Amino acid sequence: MTPLPSSPAEELALLERELIWLDTRRAQLLRRRAWLKAALRAQSGRGWQPPPGVPGGWAPAPAAHPAPAVPPPSATGGPGAQHVLLILGGLLLAVAAIAFTLFSWGELGIAGRAVVLAGVTAAALGAPVLLLRRGLRATAEAVGAVALLLTVLDAYALHAAVLPGADGAGYAAFASGALAAGWTAYGAGVGRLRLPLPAAVVAGQFPLVLGAWAAGGSVLVIGWALLVTAAGSVVVAVRGPGLAVRATAWSGAGVTWAGGLLIGLGESVSAGGPLDAAGPGALLLGAAAVALTAAWRAPREMAVTGGVVAGLAAVAGVGGVLRTEVPWSWAVVVHLLCGAALAPVARIAVVPRPVRGGVLGAAAGVAGLAVLAVLPSAAATLLGPAAVLTGPWAGAPGGVREVVAGAGAWPDDLSVPVVLLVVAVLLGAVYGSLAQEGRAPAGRTAAAGAGAVGLVSAAVPVLLVTADAPYAAALAVNLLLVAGLLGAALAVRRVPAAAGATALWCAVAVAAHTGLLALAAEPATYAVFGLLLVLFAAVAARSEEVVTRSLSLVLCVVCALVVAVAAGASLELGAPRTAVLVLTVPAAAVVLGLWLRTPAVVVPLEAGAGSGALVALGLAATDGAYLSLVLALCGVLAAATAVRPERRPGAGYLAAGLLALATWVRLVSAGVTHPEAYTLPVSVIACAVGLLRRRTDPEASSWAAYGPGLGVTLGPSLPALWSDPHWQRPLLLGAAALAITVTGAVRRLQAPLLLGGGTLALVALHELAPHVAQVFDALPRWSVPALAGLLLLALGATYEQRLRDARRLREHLGRMR
């Protein structure tokens, strides 16, 4: 390891040594390149011999005096330039041959034409042999390409001049076959040319297809011709010599196979009966056989792809015949069963493993497509009971379909739940097989288990609606399904985590569907939501997972809220009175939270209590007196929550705000025009209590000490101010606000300063509003945007100063208590 230099002189010396070493290394590499070029030139002319004067290995160069660098080759040398020249020459010869064939061919007689054809073609085909003997491989390749082009032109010229009456498609089939055979023989005879054999493979793709077309064959005949061509290309791709031949054959097989497959699919879809679909089905099965044969000997990636397409083609062939005997809605089930029939391939040991994986992938793809096809109908069925919200308790229906049919969401037949159940059974079998093999409960094993659980959860409610099960029986089955799913969610040690989480959320979805169904009848509402409350409470009590327990507690509160609202409706209390009854649920949640004191339990309970309080406020919003009562009760619940030290700051402020708001709402609802008569004594007492607290606890916040007392009076007085036409209230309220503001500033108290200052600003705005309106009426219209623009410019020019002022103000307020 080179030590780091300790001075600039040492670093400069180190750099000099490194540069000398780089120059030496460059000289060595350039000399080696020159030696390799000379060796290649000598090898192309005669047997390899080291060129004179050039060493046969690495020659070390002096370290202090590097050899001069070999200049790079000129722009006209090197194999790259040679290839460019050869390509240009071949193109020029091809253009000349085409021009001669198109324009000068007719000027020659029969003998002249024959001589030209024989001479030019023979010369072009024989020249590469001589060039290869002299070691000019690149030149031979270029001339060989021109020769192959000449054979195509000869075939065209022969048809145009000698056989003009021959059928075009038939002659093209014969010519392509002859060219394929000739190029194969030529490529095999010459051996060292790379182009003839791939060209023969390309030409071999056309004889059968063009022959079938020329013979007037049907679309199916052309499809079989494409498949036979693809099969021949697969044989060449497996056994052919050279990478170029195999790659060309694989490409040709893919194109012709795809053409035959598309023809089979098109004819199968348009078939009207079993006999009409038999021919396309056989063609699709032939396509599957060709793909399977190709996959058997192909590399791993291609083998998997071949297995997939073979499986899909087989399903399309067999399913296309069977679906003609069933209604269109059951065609999905037919294709799904055909896809399921591919599963036993996984047990056939003689089939290569990649091919088995591809066939199983095809089965999985068919199952996925079947689920996607029926998913919209299943989703509409599950969401259909939401229509009952527009008219709950209309009476117990005879069948469950009556509840869903109001939204027009149920499917027409049993095909939708059948598809879901069949795919669920298949996924369950896959899960069992993987678990039996000892696979870890993750990855594909977990996905299979979760998919089976989700599909069963969707299939059972859809089946009940589709079969128009009795209303009570449907509710009972759905409740049993919810209980089973919750049990699976609890069994986290025996099932994969993904399956357990899926079971939990599916239980929530089925519970929502069942709850909506239950709203159609009053007894069903109490029974269903009561049982759901018990189920979720049991899960919350026994679960060790945080998510499961939290979600279960929230759902317990939701079910209890529904029962409370239903009780108010049954007692005909009306919405405002029902709001008071609903508050019993948040009260129970708060008491339970105070008793348990476990964060994993308290937080969900508080969330549920908050949602219940919002429901109660919404129910009481139309009645001022009950709204005031509900606000006061919510404030009491918030104050009870503030008993816990960790909830004291937020819950305490919330309780004070709710109680003050309850007072204001009560005064407004009672029609009081002078609220100060009621609020001022409370404010005096509250501020006196705050003063005593500040004396005993100087660190107490001014918001906790004086905020509630000041807000009780200032809050109701401000709305009364805007509706009071006299001058006494603005004067008194402004003077009081000014005194409060000055007191807060002098005593460095944040709450009096901000509350008093805000009130004083609103009073001043109230007094100045008429005059400001008169000024705006007197000013021209353009003056308002002009003044606004000037204000923005002034703020922008002094932005940094204003920002510093705002920061100082915030820091000053932050230092206040």
Side-chain angles (χ1 to χ4, degrees), residues 307-336:
V308 171
V309 296
L312 294 177
V315 170
V318 178
V321 177
L322 297 178
R323 62 92 186 159
T324 57
E325 293 296 323
V326 297
W328 269 105
S329 56
W330 286 89
V332 178
V333 180
V334 170
H335 285 86
L336 176 59

Side-chain angles (χ1 to χ4, degrees), residues 692-721:
L692 292 176
R693 181 182 177 184
R694 288 276 297 173
R695 288 184 177 180
T696 57
D697 183 12
E699 297 298 326
S701 172
S702 61
W703 289 101
Y706 303 115
L710 295 176
V712 167
T713 298
L714 296 179
S717 297
L718 282 174
L721 172 69

Side-chain angles (χ1 to χ4, degrees), residues 255-309:
V255 173
T256 52
W257 181 88
L261 179 69
L262 291 176
I263 290 176
L265 289 175
E267 293 296 312
S268 178
V269 171
S270 61
L275 295 179
D276 294 338
L283 180 61
L284 291 171
L285 289 178
V290 172
L292 192 61
T293 303
W296 206 281
R297 300 291 299 274
R300 177 178 177 82
E301 292 78 9
M302 296 182 64
V304 175
T305 304
V308 171
V309 296

Side-chain angles (χ1 to χ4, degrees), residues 51-83:
V54 179
W58 289 93
H65 303 284
V70 179
S74 63
T76 59
Q82 180 186 15
H83 291 163

